[in-house]
Amino acid sequence: MGSHHWIAADRRADHDRLRGTLELPPLLARIDAHRRLRGPFTAAGQLVRAIGVDALARCPELGPRHHIEILTAAPEFDGAVPHIRATLEHRPTSEARTRYQARLHTLRIAHGLTEFVRDYLAALDGAPRAIVFANMQEADPTDREFVAVLLRRLDAARLTVVVETGTEPMQEPPGPVSVSLPATLRERTIRHAAPVGATTARQEENSPREDGEPTGDGDAGTDPLAGLDDAAIRELARAHVATECLDDDPAGLAAYRSLSTADRAVLHDERRAVLVSRNEPSLLLGAVPFHAERGTGSPAEIAAVLREAQVYCKNRGLYHATVELGLRGRAVLDLADAPDLWWDLTGDVTTSLAATSRAQEAEALYDEARTISTDPAIHMHAAYGTSMLFARHYDDERRDPERARRWLNQAIAIASLLPDPKERAFQSAFQRNGLALVETRQGRPEAALLLLNEGMALLDRELEPEEQLLHRTGLRYNRAQVYGMFGRLEEALADYDFVIDADPNFPDHYFNRGNVRRRLGRNAEAIEDYQHTLLLSPPFPEAYYNLADARLELGDVEGALADLDRVLELEPEHVSARVNRAGIRCDLDDLDGAWADVTAGLAVAPDNAHLLCLRGRVLAERGETEAADQALTAALGVDAGLAEAWALRGGVRYGAGDLTAAVTDLDHAVELLDTPEIRYNRALVNHAAGRFAEAAGDYRAVLAVADDADAAERLDVCLAAMSAPATV
């Protein structure tokens, strides 16, 4: 049995020393995860570049299967794997982009990359390997997710993961965290820390700051530059810059700091030119912006570099990096220098803050824009953005549809004054689309539908058929969602058919159409939609979960179990999948498997009524009557409307001989869920208690919907008993 490891130290020498004490298998790769190198997925991309060529040669099927994940983490593989299928927002047009990736997209990428690594390892010689991830304390949240998923999903006996960090406690990134690396490290690794005092005072003084410059002058008695001429010092500084200022060698740090600001800027320009010449897109997200910020460019030129990286990240759902890059651009650029660029940077920061549940920070930036700008377009966009914070992004306590409406009305008023008729039409329809969301949230579907229909008609009148296609299909998609929310399923289905025809490579369209088809009872077609969703997306647990439900409706228990296995492989804390798999396992008499699912589910959700009910069912089938009664009583204490728990407890009490309590429980069950099975069980209890008329009524109810020979025979017995003369 292998183990994953966590090494906490402040210098590479200490990491190397501590790692040297471990008995590790052969090294697959040593990865520097510092986001300064290549931004989001720095670590994952470096790993893909290290193993990708060999992996695709050994396992060609991995390229098509994981092309989205590979190209997101390592865009340098473009051409080596299939292109990501283009959706409408990737058309080469200048029209507004109004749709972005879901927040959990990066977690799905992490799962797909983990499976890419797993399957590559399986194709090797079978011997265990190790991966070392350095500088994880400075990794982008995308790499934190990836490494956490690796630690959770891959057996250390097959792949030993070594995570190297500093000694300071790792902080979670702002906003909600889908999978916590600090928590995963605590749960899944053995920690090794450099002893206190292992890093000397001189080394600490010369350790790099976040901006790559040393923090102190060092110990004058041990000058690392003693005896070196200017040329040698400059070469040391150039070598330090060539590490993206991440090398912690005291001589390189001291040489870099000894230069003038102008001389340093020249070295950063040189390094940036070298990196750009390599034509590796991921460098444009990390090292290239880093050097641009320290080079000789003007504020507008530096901001333009950061903006290019920001747009790339936003379009791929890499929202933490989008925020960071935008804030860095704002730090070098004033509104007066380049108003459009300043707002572009700011607007995408706010959008990404909202996408990562940081609505309050977004609102503060909108307020700042309103304070310092008189540009009507900025005020219009800020009004719309603020409205969406109150309509959808704030939590329930701060969500305020009426406040959202006030901001939307302001945006609509400004849009109506735009001079260009096409822009006016687009913005008016766009703002009314937001107002339709507010109407929906307030339970007014007809008002929402009216707004959406007016917006579509306006764009049809004012625009050419191919203009603003993304937003026009978005309006139709939103109308489908409104129809679906309020039960107008055939109309919803027609709209989903339309948007799929217009935008056939967007996975969410198929997922949502599959949900409508399920509600219509068209489960075979729903399965086709969910499978198509998975072709267009990295691993997507929700699609597998819905697949399992649809397969169960069609009687495919084996297929449903496989899909639920997949859900729980991707998301072990998915409580509903635990409930459903435990229920199937009970039906298949796999009580040990059901018990394992119930136990794991209750560890996450101890008050889940369905899991408590299933616990009672397993205990009952094991013959542990008293414990089963307690579990079912606990389930009903959480949810008194759970018919199955009443029915099961009635059965348990019947088995224990308490017929009065049993029939009371079964009466509750029938009131909540009148099924032939529950009716039959109540009939058995009444029959055993000598209440033949009540039993006969339930047997008749069963026979009215099912051809049940046993119920028919028992009914005859009851009728005979009822007609027999009374005895004295």
Side-chain angles (χ1 to χ4, degrees):
M1 294 292 293
S3 300
H4 299 304
H5 299 276
W6 173 16
I7 300 176
D10 289 323
R11 284 179 54 80
R12 179 166 180 169
D14 294 324
H15 285 122
D16 292 344
R17 177 177 55 78
L18 288 169
R19 193 180 340 106
T21 66
L22 306 177
E23 293 185 9
L24 297 176
L27 195 63
L28 187 67
R30 184 184 187 279
I31 307 296
D32 191 332
H34 201 302
R35 65 188 183 280
R36 183 184 301 167
L37 297 172
R38 294 175 187 260
F41 288 118
T42 289
Q46 189 175 338
L47 179 56
V48 170
R49 283 184 291 274
I51 68 173
V53 173
D54 189 47
L56 296 176
R58 291 175 184 269
C59 312
E61 72 279 4
L62 294 183
R65 186 185 306 161
H66 296 294
H67 66 292
I68 297 171
E69 302 95 290
I70 292 169
L71 291 175
T72 302
E76 293 76 19
F77 272 76
D78 189 22
V81 298
H83 295 294
I84 298 175
R85 295 177 179 89
T87 52
L88 278 180
E89 65 264 36
H90 295 112
R91 293 187 311 151
T93 69
S94 59
E95 69 182 44
R97 185 171 181 135
T98 56
R99 182 176 68 198
Y100 306 101
Q101 293 287 358
R103 181 179 63 82
L104 292 178
H105 180 68
T106 55
L107 179 61
R108 297 168 189 164
I109 295 287
H111 279 293
L113 291 170
T114 296
E115 293 172 7
F116 176 72
V117 173
R118 177 200 65 193
D119 294 345
Y120 170 61
L121 290 170
L124 290 176
D125 54 16
R129 296 290 195 278
I131 298 179
V132 177
F133 292 101
N135 279 325
M136 278 306 302
Q137 76 280 4
E138 297 294 346
D140 183 83
T142 54
D143 279 318
R144 288 177 172 227
E145 282 181 332
F146 169 58
V147 173
V149 170
L150 272 181
L151 288 167
R152 286 171 178 256
R153 291 192 58 187
L154 296 193
D155 186 352
R158 188 69 190 89
L159 180 70
T160 300
V161 177
V162 180
V163 176
E164 297 181 350
T165 70
T167 55
E168 292 294 319
M170 286 191 72
Q171 302 299 316
E172 299 284 12
V177 176
S178 54
V179 55
S180 168
L181 179 60
T184 304
L185 288 172
R186 291 190 295 270
E187 296 165 4
R188 305 277 177 147
T189 68
I190 299 172
R191 189 172 186 269
H192 315 269
V196 176
T199 303
T200 68
R202 180 180 64 80
Q203 291 166 344
E204 287 179 350
E205 288 172 349
N206 286 293
S207 63
R209 289 205 316 256
E210 175 60 25
D211 63 3
E213 298 184 17
T215 58
D217 295 327
D219 187 338
T222 55
D223 181 3
L225 304 182
L228 298 179
D229 60 21
D230 289 347
I233 290 172
R234 189 175 184 83
E235 285 309 308
L236 276 175
R238 178 177 283 109
H240 176 69
V241 171
T243 70
E244 284 43 273
C245 297
L246 292 177
D247 186 11
D248 61 1
D249 175 61
L253 288 165
Y256 178 85
R257 194 173 193 281
S258 72
L259 299 183
S260 68
T261 300
D263 285 342
R264 289 183 202 169
V266 170
L267 293 181
H268 283 291
D269 283 347
E270 291 176 359
R271 179 61 177 167
R272 176 186 165 197
V274 169
L275 295 174
V276 170
S277 71
R278 286 165 55 176
N279 197 29
E280 297 181 31
S282 58
L283 289 170
L284 303 179
L285 311 180
V288 168
F290 170 78
H291 291 294
E293 289 168 292
R294 289 152 183 80
T296 60
S298 69
E301 290 169 339
I302 296 169
V305 173
L306 290 159
R307 174 61 182 160
E308 181 180 1
Q310 185 196 34
V311 170
Y312 183 98
C313 291
K314 184 196 70 170
N315 289 348
R316 286 157 182 78
L318 311 174
Y319 295 124
H320 287 90
T322 304
V323 171
E324 180 179 318
L325 290 160
L327 293 177
R328 284 159 59 186
R330 283 166 43 90
V332 300
L333 187 73
D334 291 329
L335 174 64
D337 294 334
D340 290 343
L341 180 55
W342 181 89
W343 173 250
D344 288 342
L345 290 162
T346 301
D348 281 349
V349 168
T350 56
T351 300
S352 299
L353 286 170
T356 52
S357 300
R358 298 163 66 184
Q360 194 165 351
E361 295 172 70
E363 187 181 2
L365 288 177
Y366 286 133
D367 285 343
E368 179 198 33
R370 283 187 279 264
T371 300
I372 66 176
S373 173
T374 59
D375 185 331
I378 289 178
H379 279 263
M380 179 183 68
H381 292 304
Y384 177 83
T386 305
S387 75
M388 290 298 101
L389 300 181
F390 287 102
R392 65 188 301 185
H393 293 298
Y394 272 125
D395 58 23
D396 290 342
E397 289 184 0
R398 291 205 63 189
R399 193 169 292 163
D400 187 341
E402 285 305 311
R403 196 168 179 180
R405 184 188 299 277
R406 290 196 292 272
W407 282 114
L408 278 164
N409 284 340
Q410 183 179 115
I412 291 168
I414 297 172
S416 70
L417 302 175
L418 293 173
D420 181 83
K422 290 189 175 184
E423 180 67 11
R424 184 169 63 247
F426 167 72
Q427 291 296 344
S428 295
F430 183 76
Q431 316 302 335
R432 284 178 167 82
N433 180 43
L435 194 55
L437 172 64
V438 173
E439 298 288 6
T440 302
R441 290 287 170 90
Q442 294 189 304
R444 294 194 285 263
E446 295 304 325
L449 290 170
L450 179 62
L451 287 163
L452 292 168
N453 288 331
E454 287 176 347
M456 287 187 277
L458 175 62
L459 296 182
D460 287 344
R461 285 196 310 270
E462 299 295 333
L463 303 183
E464 297 299 322
E466 292 300 309
E467 290 183 298
Q468 298 292 353
L469 270 182
L470 177 60
H471 185 58
R472 293 164 92 164
T473 58
L475 289 170
R476 188 70 70 100
Y477 174 81
N478 289 345
R479 191 174 72 175
Q481 290 191 307
V482 175
Y483 281 144
M485 284 180 208
F486 296 95
R488 296 169 62 172
L489 300 184
E490 292 293 351
E491 291 161 294
L493 190 61
D495 275 345
Y496 283 128
D497 289 342
F498 178 91
V499 297
I500 284 173
D501 286 342
D503 192 14
N505 295 322
F506 190 63
D508 287 16
H509 293 337
Y510 295 93
F511 181 76
N512 285 293
R513 188 174 71 176
N515 292 342
V516 172
R517 284 174 161 174
R518 273 183 63 219
R519 292 170 66 187
L520 288 167
R522 295 161 62 173
N523 287 292
E525 294 170 275
I527 287 171
E528 291 178 3
D529 275 339
Y530 295 139
Q531 290 173 328
H532 206 88
T533 301
L534 292 165
L535 285 176
L536 298 171
S537 169
F540 188 175
E542 294 86 352
Y544 285 109
Y545 180 81
N546 288 4
L547 260 175
D549 271 358
R551 291 193 203 278
L552 274 180
E553 290 290 333
L554 295 177
D556 181 5
V557 176
E558 184 177 342
L561 265 180
D563 288 329
L564 290 170
D565 289 346
R566 190 80 169 101
V567 174
L568 290 166
E569 181 183 17
L570 297 168
E571 192 177 334
E573 296 183 349
H574 197 298
V575 173
S576 295
R578 290 283 180 197
V579 170
N580 289 0
R581 193 170 73 174
I584 293 173
R585 286 174 161 178
C586 279
D587 292 342
L588 297 175
D589 294 325
D590 178 10
L591 297 184
D592 290 342
W595 185 258
D597 275 335
V598 167
T599 302
L602 287 172
V604 177
D607 293 328
N608 184 280
H610 294 280
L611 288 169
L612 291 168
C613 180
L614 283 162
R615 186 170 187 235
R617 178 179 173 184
V618 174
L619 289 167
E621 294 193 25
R622 286 177 171 175
E624 300 179 44
T625 304
E626 185 176 348
D629 192 295
Q630 291 173 355
L632 293 164
T633 300
L636 291 168
V638 175
D639 182 1
L642 189 57
E644 185 181 5
W646 288 110
L648 284 168
R649 195 175 72 171
V652 168
R653 291 178 171 180
Y654 169 61
D658 189 348
L659 302 184
T660 300
V663 80
T664 299
D665 282 351
L666 288 162
D667 285 345
H668 280 297
V670 170
E671 288 173 8
L672 293 166
L673 184 67
D674 191 350
T675 66
E677 294 79 12
I678 297 176
R679 284 271 191 174
Y680 180 81
N681 288 343
R682 188 172 68 173
L684 289 179
V685 178
N686 279 319
H687 194 159
R691 291 189 284 267
F692 300 117
E694 291 87 345
D698 280 336
Y699 287 135
R700 287 192 181 99
V702 172
L703 291 168
V705 296
D707 184 12
D708 188 324
D710 186 66
E713 183 178 340
R714 289 178 179 274
L715 174 61
D716 290 341
V717 172
C718 286
L719 294 174
M722 291 166 61
S723 62
T727 58
V728 179

